[in-house]
């Protein structure tokens, strides 16, 4: 079932999509550019039989989700980059306690308070765990308001199937923009969802005790290695991606989220300029669709990674393709925005051995000297202690 | 043969790991008795903390969730809002509740979450080995206050009941001790009241239990009980600080 | 057809809602459309702008950094947005409030006294719709009927007489471009 196409703001489509996907608990804390999510939830979740809590902090919000998820309730939180940093404590506990939930990061520029511009600097944080210990979360990267609205359903289905947190990693601009979209799934009635045997609940009536816990003590090795089997299964069966002209191109662009849309512009512009450019868009960032990318690497002359960060996605691409083909980086860190023209310039450089548009850290730092030292001419630290 | 006393059904048969003379076991028993007597055993969901009571989830027969240090009230909020029919408690120590989890406990009270918090105050970090707690007394020696707590450097101990009493959303606040039978009886009454409140949807209830830690106080059990009476109680007077539970 | 549009002016001139209206009109025309506001601290201080894309194909990035059309509703927006225009682009200028004139020679300029026309229609506040009418006439990117239909969805709580007034302003802007 598909709803009629309607113009929706990304963050609102996400919130509505989550409600349609059966979410019944939301906790969050205000941060730009995702404020429409808690606002929408506060207005609509209670009417749908759910609970909304504006938490005292991101740390509290994710731990509220931990509690709600422990009951088997479809639960979620949303935030933006610095807020997601704070949530890492709860995320690693959720992973350890094998709890399904949805975490949304509508990314902004970083590090630190950074900026509120849309950015993609949290790729490592999302795909490498982010918190302490050996764990993963499934990471979905939408590139349209349509996907933003429909991914919550997919996220809950995957999270529950594998008993682990699932993250939607969205660009700030995706959250803020309006676009025509439709929901493509039957709304979930949470009252008709079955129960989990692992969840805590009331009315035990003779069933065994349920225990949700993240302290594993002597069982930790067994616990972590058991979970790794699930991770292996996920890497085998769940990678998702989209391709455009990917099998027949001289340069294959690799990009996710909003950057991939600028790449589409480049793909279309290229054909009018007699260039053959294709696009490979990972939809799951973890599991990364390495296998398919490695196949495509054999069919192209070069791979250009377009990311709004300073060389994060490119590492997964290099891991996937090895030395099969040259890999270049066209980077737009800290809120910079790619467009078709700039991408094609970089693509052309990669094809012809030029440098324009290609980022290389060592070249960037060539002839660069740096010297930061304490200076006693400015005074000495003891001055500040006062006294005689 | 008539049984006149037995272990509460709401506790499991797993032997507790607490040190000799520790107050945790007594409080667990009082809670178990309360669940049995109120007939709520089937509805209780407990939040176990980080700290000495990290294994509390083994000792209570109810369903349990064990979470991050200080976050018990947030986790309890998530459980309670998802399962409004559940009787939810958060069991926390002093470092957990009054230091790293200060925001969570204060805001659970601000929202008047209909949960019950059992707060064990023994003025020391137990599991990590005797570091200074937010409730450590002035002059009390801890591994991170080797010369004794000095207010000039480490400030003064914090009185949680008195502080939370300022918050409109807190509905029942009591401080009790488990140093002697008379006080244990009073502790039981307070704990029972705090859970009855939740059954009656009164709102946020907390019982602070002044407890003894002979191990990290480097004291014999009688010395530890003496410390509770002569040092702890002057700083942390026992009593009911707020009771808006009706009846 | 791929139209990237920036609309800029003072907060309160309705530039943000004119953008939503335009995107919604695109949807009514069965085209693809996107809208993106400026947000955060950028919003403070009185100026506002938004990006709109209307296209028969896919919307690429919703950030319109090189617009096909710029609608300038106030003086400070002219120096800010004129340079962004694509070569051969269209600049619709609210000549009621903008005294300066564009310096570029490689663009088309259409001057419309939006506020004066709006006042004649009956309300100064709907100068944004006059500008939109002028945009429809000049570009044909969306139809006038679609904008009128879009109003019902975007201004959900507007009274019927207000919607009528809006339509008149739209038409007046349309007619003002010869």
């Amino acid at each position: 079932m598909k709803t009629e196409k309607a113009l929706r703001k990304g963050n609102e489509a996400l919130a509505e999509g989550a409600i349609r996907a059966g979410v019944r608990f939301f906790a969050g804390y205000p941060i730009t550019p995702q404020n429409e999510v808690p606002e929408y939830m506060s207005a609509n979740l209670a009417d749908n039989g759910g609970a909304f809590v504006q938490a005292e902090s991101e740390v509290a919000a994710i731990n509220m989700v931990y509690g709600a998820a422990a009951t088997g309730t479809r639960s979620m939180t949303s935030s933006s980059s610095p807020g997601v940093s704070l949530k890492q404590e709860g995320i690693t506990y959720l992973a350890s306690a094998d709890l399904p939930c949805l975490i949304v990061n509508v990314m902004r520029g970083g590090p630190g308070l950074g900026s509120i511009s849309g950015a993609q600097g949290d790729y490592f944080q999302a795909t490498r765990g982010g918190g302490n210990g050996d764990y993963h979360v499934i990471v979905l990267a939408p590139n349209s308001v349509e996907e933003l609205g429909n991914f919550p359903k997919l996220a809950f289905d995957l999270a529950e199937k594998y008993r682990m947190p699932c993250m939607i990693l969205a660009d700030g601009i995706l959250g803020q923009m309006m676009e025509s979209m439709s929901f493509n799934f039957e709304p979930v009635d949470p009252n008709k969802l079955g129960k989990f045997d692992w969840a805590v609940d009331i009315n035990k009536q003779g069933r065994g005790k349920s225990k949700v816990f993240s302290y594993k003590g002597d069982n930790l090795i067994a616990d972590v290695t058991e979970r790794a089997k699930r991770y292996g299964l996920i890497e085998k069966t769940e990678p998702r991606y989209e391709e455009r002209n990917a099998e027949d191109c001289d340069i294959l662009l690799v990009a996710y989220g909003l950057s991939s849309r600028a790449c589409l512009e480049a793909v279309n512009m290229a054909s009018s300029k007699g260039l053959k450019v294709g696009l490979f868009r990972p939809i799951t960032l973890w599991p990364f669709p390495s296998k398919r990318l490695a196949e495509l690497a054999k069919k192209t002359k070069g791979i250009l990674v377009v990311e709004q960060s300073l060389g994060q996605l490119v590492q997964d691409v290099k891991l996937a393709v090895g030395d099969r083909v040259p890999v270049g980086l066209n980077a737009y860190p800290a809120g910079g925005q790619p467009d078709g023209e700039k991408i094609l310039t970089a693509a052309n450089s990669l094809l012809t051995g030029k440098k324009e548009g290609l980022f290389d850290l060592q070249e960037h730092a060539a002839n660069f000297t740096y010297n930061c030292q304490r200076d006693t001419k400015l005074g000495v630290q003891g001055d500040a202690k006062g006294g005689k | 043969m008539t049984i006149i006393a037995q272990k509460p059904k709401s506790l499991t048969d797993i032997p507790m790991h607490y040190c000799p003379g520790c107050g945790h076991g007594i409080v667990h028993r009082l809670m178990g008795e309360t669940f049995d007597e109120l007939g709520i055993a089937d509805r209780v969901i407990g939040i176990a903390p980080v700290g000495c009571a990290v294994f509390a989830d083994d000792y209570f027969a109810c369903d349990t969730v064990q979470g991050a240090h200080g976050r018990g009230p947030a986790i309890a909020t998530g459980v309670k809002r998802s399962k409004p029919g559940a009787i939810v408690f958060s069991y926390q120590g002093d470092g957990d509740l009054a230091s790293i989890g200060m925001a969570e406990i204060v805001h659970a009270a601000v929202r008047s979450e209909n949960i019950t918090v059992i707060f064990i105050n023994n003025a020391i970090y137990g599991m990590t080995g005797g570091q200074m707690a937010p409730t450590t007394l002035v002059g009390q020696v801890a591994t991170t206050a080797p010369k004794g707590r000095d207010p000039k450097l480490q400030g003064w101990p914090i009185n949680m009941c008195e502080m939370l009493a300022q918050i409109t959303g807190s509905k029942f606040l009591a401080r009790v001790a488990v140093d002697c039978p008379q006080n244990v009886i009073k502790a039981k009454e307070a704990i029972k009241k705090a859970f009855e409140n939740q059954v009656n949807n009164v709102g946020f209830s907390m019982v602070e239990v002044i407890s003894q830690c002979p191990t990290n106080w480097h004291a014999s059990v009688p010395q530890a009980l003496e410390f509770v009476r002569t040092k702890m109680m002057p700083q942390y007077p026992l009593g009911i600080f707020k009771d808006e539970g009706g009846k | 057809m791929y139209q990237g549009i920036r609309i800029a002016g003072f907060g309160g001139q309705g530039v943000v809602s004119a953008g939503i209206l335009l995107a919604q009109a695109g949807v009514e025309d069965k085209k693809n459309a996107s809208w993106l506001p400026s947000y955060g601290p950028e919003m403070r201080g009185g100026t506002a702008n938004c990006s709109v894309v209307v296209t028969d194909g896919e919307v690429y990035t919703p950030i319109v950094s090189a617009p096909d059309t710029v609608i300038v509703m106030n003086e400070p927006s002219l120096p800010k947005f004129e340079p962004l225009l694509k070569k051969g682009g269209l600049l619709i200028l609210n000549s009621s409030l903008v005294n300066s004139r564009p310096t570029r020679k490689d663009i088309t300029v259409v001057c419309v006294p939006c506020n004066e026309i709006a006042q004649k229609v009956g309300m100064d506040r709907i100068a944004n719709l006059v500008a939109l009418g002028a945009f429809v006439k000049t570009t044909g990117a969306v139809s006038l009927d679609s904008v009128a239909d879009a109003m019902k969805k975007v201004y959900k709580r507007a009274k019927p007489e207000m919607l009528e007034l809006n339509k008149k302003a739209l038409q007046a802007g349309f007619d003002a471009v010869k």
Side-chain angles (χ1 to χ4, degrees):
Chain A
M1 188 216 63
K2 244 175 136 82
T3 61
E4 203 186 325
K5 282 236 178 211
L7 198 63
R8 280 183 194 274
K9 197 167 195 179
N11 284 334
E12 288 171 4
L14 166 76
E16 175 61 26
I19 291 175
R20 283 169 189 254
V23 75
R24 280 303 172 271
F25 183 84
F26 180 98
Y29 185 86
I31 182 169
T32 307
Q34 62 81 56
N35 292 314
E36 293 84 359
V37 183
E39 285 168 2
Y40 193 94
M41 289 296 183
S42 67
N44 295 292
L45 199 51
D47 294 345
N48 285 279
F52 165 86
V53 183
Q54 179 165 331
E56 58 270 30
S57 69
E58 304 292 1
V59 179
I62 191 72
N63 280 286
M64 288 174 188
V65 168
Y66 182 91
T71 70
T73 303
R74 288 197 160 180
S75 317
M76 71 175 287
T77 183
S78 76
S79 188
S80 182
S81 310
V84 177
S85 295
L86 280 169
K87 287 188 199 295
Q88 294 306 326
E89 172 194 90
I91 296 172
T92 174
Y93 274 74
L94 282 152
S96 170
D98 299 308
L99 291 177
C101 70
L102 169 60
I103 299 146
V104 178
N105 182 357
V106 184
M107 287 182 283
R108 53 189 265 175
L113 197 54
S115 80
I116 57 166
S117 305
Q120 300 186 324
D122 304 346
Y123 182 90
F124 280 161
Q125 187 195 57
T127 57
R128 265 58 178 173
N132 62 301
D134 268 319
Y135 76 95
H136 280 291
V137 301
I138 294 170
V139 185
L140 302 175
N143 82 337
S144 64
V145 173
E146 169 118 358
E147 285 189 346
L148 202 49
N150 285 290
F151 277 6
K153 168 73 163 53
L154 174 63
F156 278 119
D157 289 347
L158 289 172
E160 291 180 356
K161 183 176 176 186
Y162 296 105
R163 280 190 70 179
M164 61 191 287
C166 185
M167 177 178 281
I168 293 179
L169 190 69
D171 304 81
I173 284 164
L174 214 48
Q176 288 300 313
M177 71 185 282
M178 281 178 117
E179 191 168 34
S180 48
M181 63 85 61
S182 63
F183 295 102
N184 60 20
F185 60 91
E186 204 65 51
V188 174
D189 180 351
N191 297 318
K192 292 185 181 153
L193 288 171
K195 290 194 172 189
F196 292 113
D197 61 0
W198 51 260
V200 298
D201 205 346
I202 55 176
N203 300 324
K204 293 174 55 176
Q205 288 159 351
R207 77 168 158 81
K209 171 186 165 85
S210 283
K211 232 174 94 168
V212 170
F213 60 106
S214 84
Y215 184 75
K216 308 291 162 114
D218 294 343
N219 296 320
L220 184 60
I221 294 171
D223 189 73
V224 167
T225 45
E226 187 282 328
R227 195 173 298 112
K229 289 180 197 164
R230 264 181 286 157
Y231 290 163
L233 190 63
I234 293 166
E235 283 189 333
K236 205 163 105 184
T237 56
E238 302 296 349
R240 285 167 166 76
Y241 50 84
E242 186 194 358
E243 296 174 10
R244 294 285 182 98
N245 302 346
E247 299 223 10
D248 179 28
C249 58
D250 293 331
I251 291 289
L252 181 66
L253 306 175
V254 181
Y256 71 95
L258 200 72
S259 309
S260 71
R261 295 173 63 139
C263 288
L264 280 179
E265 186 182 13
V267 169
N268 290 348
M269 282 167 70
S271 53
S272 67
K273 292 184 178 178
L275 277 167
K276 282 162 80 179
V277 175
L279 170 66
F280 181 77
R281 171 171 79 96
I283 293 172
T284 49
L285 301 183
W286 192 89
F288 192 78
S290 306
K291 198 172 157 220
R292 178 60 182 155
L293 186 56
E295 285 165 16
L296 291 172
K298 293 178 202 154
K299 303 178 180 180
T300 188
K301 291 177 186 158
I303 289 180
L304 182 69
V305 179
V306 181
E307 56 176 287
Q308 289 171 257
S309 46
L310 213 48
Q312 300 190 31
L313 171 65
V314 70
Q315 294 205 3
D316 275 339
V317 173
K318 282 182 176 168
L319 279 173
V321 307
D323 294 330
R324 284 189 190 92
V325 66
V327 175
L329 171 61
N330 184 221
Y332 303 84
Q337 299 295 337
D339 62 38
E341 201 78 54
K342 288 188 254 183
I343 293 167
L344 279 188
T345 302
N348 196 53
S349 296
L350 189 63
L351 210 52
T352 56
K354 293 186 193 135
K355 288 180 181 174
E356 195 184 353
L358 297 178
F359 184 86
D360 179 283
L361 202 57
Q362 287 315 312
E363 247 170 53
H364 190 65
N367 306 319
F368 176 69
T369 53
Y370 185 69
N371 190 10
C372 176
Q373 285 182 346
R374 288 181 184 275
D375 186 350
T376 50
K377 290 197 277 298
L378 297 170
V380 293
Q381 286 294 313
D383 293 350
K385 286 186 180 162
K388 286 175 191 173
Chain B
M1 193 170 67
T2 313
I3 298 171
I4 53 169
Q6 62 180 343
K7 196 170 185 181
K9 288 197 174 59
S10 289
L11 296 183
T12 62
D13 288 332
I14 298 171
M16 294 185 191
H17 72 291
Y18 298 116
C19 305
C22 169
H24 276 303
I26 302 170
V27 178
H28 287 10
R29 195 193 76 227
L30 298 180
M31 291 167 69
E33 287 173 5
T34 298
F35 303 158
D36 289 357
E37 289 164 18
L38 294 179
I40 55 173
D42 206 35
R43 291 206 277 151
V44 175
I45 298 176
I47 315 299
V50 170
C52 288
V54 68
F55 297 123
D57 56 355
D58 280 339
Y59 308 142
F60 291 104
C62 61
D63 284 3
T64 51
V65 183
Q66 176 269 319
H69 199 37
R71 318 300 175 216
I75 297 166
T77 298
V79 172
K80 184 75 180 184
R81 298 280 187 122
S82 301
K83 293 276 169 193
I87 301 299
V88 183
F89 72 82
S90 174
Y91 188 98
Q92 299 178 262
D94 40 38
D96 184 312
L97 182 138
S99 193
I100 198 167
M102 183 61 96
E104 284 76 11
I105 192 66
V106 167
H107 284 274
V110 167
R111 293 189 303 270
S112 203
E113 289 295 338
N114 190 31
I115 58 171
T116 304
V117 177
I118 305 297
F119 166 36
I120 307 297
N121 178 3
N122 57 14
I124 202 89
Y125 280 80
M127 194 184 71
T128 47
Q131 293 80 10
M132 189 190 73
T135 49
T136 293
L137 303 176
V138 170
Q140 186 183 341
V141 172
T143 59
T144 50
K147 294 176 183 170
R149 183 175 190 162
D150 176 358
K152 272 191 244 151
L153 295 174
Q154 292 128 342
W156 288 264
I158 186 160
N159 287 38
M160 288 306 297
C161 277
E162 289 87 334
M163 180 186 140
L164 292 175
Q166 309 305 312
I167 295 169
T168 310
S170 66
K171 298 302 174 190
F172 180 75
L173 298 166
R175 185 181 290 125
V176 298
V178 287
D179 63 310
C180 64
Q182 294 88 333
N183 279 340
V184 169
I185 290 167
K186 284 186 193 161
K188 167 75 179 294
E189 284 167 6
I191 287 170
K192 200 165 174 179
K193 184 72 194 285
F195 279 98
E196 274 172 343
N197 281 348
Q198 191 176 161
V199 172
N200 297 327
N201 294 310
V202 168
F204 182 86
S205 299
M206 185 182 88
V207 178
E208 174 177 345
V209 183
I210 301 301
S211 185
Q212 51 279 4
C213 181
T215 301
N216 285 298
W217 291 355
H218 304 292
S220 68
V221 174
Q223 282 169 338
L225 296 176
E226 193 56 22
F227 186 83
V228 165
R229 290 171 202 133
T230 58
K231 298 288 194 320
M232 294 280 279
M233 287 184 190
Q235 172 67 38
Y236 301 111
L238 306 186
I240 309 277
F241 291 83
K242 204 166 187 183
D243 185 1
E244 297 178 0
K247 287 198 202 166
Chain C
M1 193 274 295
Y2 194 100
Q3 262 279 340
I5 305 131
R6 290 295 279 270
I7 312 177
F10 289 124
Q13 276 187 306
V15 300
V16 168
S17 77
I20 298 176
L21 206 54
L22 189 52
Q24 181 69 49
V27 175
E28 301 293 323
D29 274 346
K30 306 285 174 214
K31 292 181 164 119
N32 288 313
S34 73
W35 167 90
L36 180 72
S38 54
Y39 60 92
E42 230 197 317
M43 275 157 53
R44 317 285 177 237
T47 61
N49 79 85
C50 65
S51 297
V52 178
V53 176
V54 180
T55 172
D56 298 321
E58 286 171 300
V59 175
Y60 306 133
T61 169
I63 306 159
V64 180
S65 48
D68 301 285
T69 302
V70 165
I71 301 176
V72 168
M73 294 300 287
N74 69 348
E75 188 73 47
S77 297
L78 183 61
K80 199 169 162 197
F81 290 96
E82 184 192 341
L84 302 185
L85 259 178
K86 268 187 194 157
K87 209 180 250 184
L90 169 69
L91 197 150
I92 295 174
L93 196 72
N94 175 15
S95 54
S96 304
L97 297 182
V98 185
N99 295 322
S100 309
R101 289 294 173 264
T103 53
R104 277 175 68 175
K105 301 293 172 214
D106 59 347
I107 56 171
T108 306
V109 181
V110 174
C111 293
V112 183
C114 299
N115 291 74
E116 281 158 50
I117 294 173
Q119 280 158 19
K120 273 184 210 153
V121 170
M123 193 182 278
D124 186 56
R125 201 151 53 82
I126 52 181
N128 60 339
L129 296 170
V130 176
L132 216 50
F135 170 81
V136 172
K137 176 74 170 279
T138 324
T139 66
V142 293
S143 71
L144 212 52
D145 287 346
S146 301
V147 183
D149 289 343
M151 280 181 191
K152 289 176 213 155
K153 290 189 181 162
V154 176
Y155 305 138
K156 276 179 201 141
R157 272 167 278 179
K159 294 189 180 111
E161 54 268 32
M162 190 62 213
L163 284 176
E164 269 317 299
L165 208 59
N166 285 345
K167 276 189 209 171
K168 276 187 195 163
L170 195 65
Q171 186 70 48
F174 189 88
D175 295 340
V177 182
K178 299 299 168 207

